[in-house]
């Protein structure tokens, strides 16, 4: 999962947790009323100073907005991305064992 997607999911999670609308957060940042919507839709990405201000308004560290473990959705997405590799490893192991059994 890319850093922008991680950021978006964390932003949505913490914004909703604080019960702050996209419009209200946009206004608090002194931006247009669709500013946060454009970020959450992946159309734009805020500069570092705005990221710091968003974090301050949400009462979290800026780093939390980029953490893969920052919100439940990102944790689930990260776990999902690991499942295919785990299945592949298990299949390879099982096939290898079966070939060794057959060949004796």
């Amino acid at each position: 999962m890319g850093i922008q997607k991680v950021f978006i999911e964390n932003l949505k999670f913490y914004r909703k947790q604080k019960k702050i609308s996209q419009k209200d957060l946009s206004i608090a940042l002194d931006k247009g009323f669709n500013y946060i919507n454009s970020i959450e839709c992946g159309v734009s990405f805020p500069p570092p100073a705005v990221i710091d201000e968003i974090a301050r308004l949400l009462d979290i560290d800026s780093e939390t907005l980029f953490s893969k473990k920052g919100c439940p959705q990102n944790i689930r997405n990260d776990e999902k991305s690991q499942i295919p590799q785990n299945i592949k490893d298990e299949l390879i192991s099982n096939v290898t064992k079966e070939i060794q059994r057959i060949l004796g």
Side-chain angles (χ1 to χ4, degrees), residues 14-66:
Y14 288 103
R15 182 181 58 73
K16 290 175 183 177
Q17 189 179 48
K18 293 286 186 181
K19 296 180 173 57
I20 300 172
S21 70
Q22 290 179 341
K23 179 181 176 183
D24 289 341
L25 187 54
S26 295
I27 291 169
L29 293 166
D30 198 27
K31 303 289 183 183
F33 69 93
N34 278 334
Y35 184 71
I36 295 299
N37 180 266
S38 71
I39 293 170
E40 289 184 2
C41 289
V43 174
S44 64
F45 196 79
V50 174
I51 292 169
D52 287 341
E53 184 64 12
I54 289 170
R56 187 188 68 72
L57 291 167
L58 297 177
D59 197 30
I60 58 173
D61 293 328
S62 300
E63 294 82 13
T64 302
L65 290 168
F66 294 97

Side-chain angles (χ1 to χ4, degrees), residues 74-92:
N74 283 340
I75 293 169
R76 281 192 298 275
N77 287 340
D78 192 45
E79 288 171 353
K80 284 179 192 175
S81 70
Q82 293 176 14
I83 291 172
Q85 185 61 45
N86 293 342
I87 292 171
K88 179 181 175 184
D89 292 344
E90 186 174 337
L91 284 172
I92 289 170

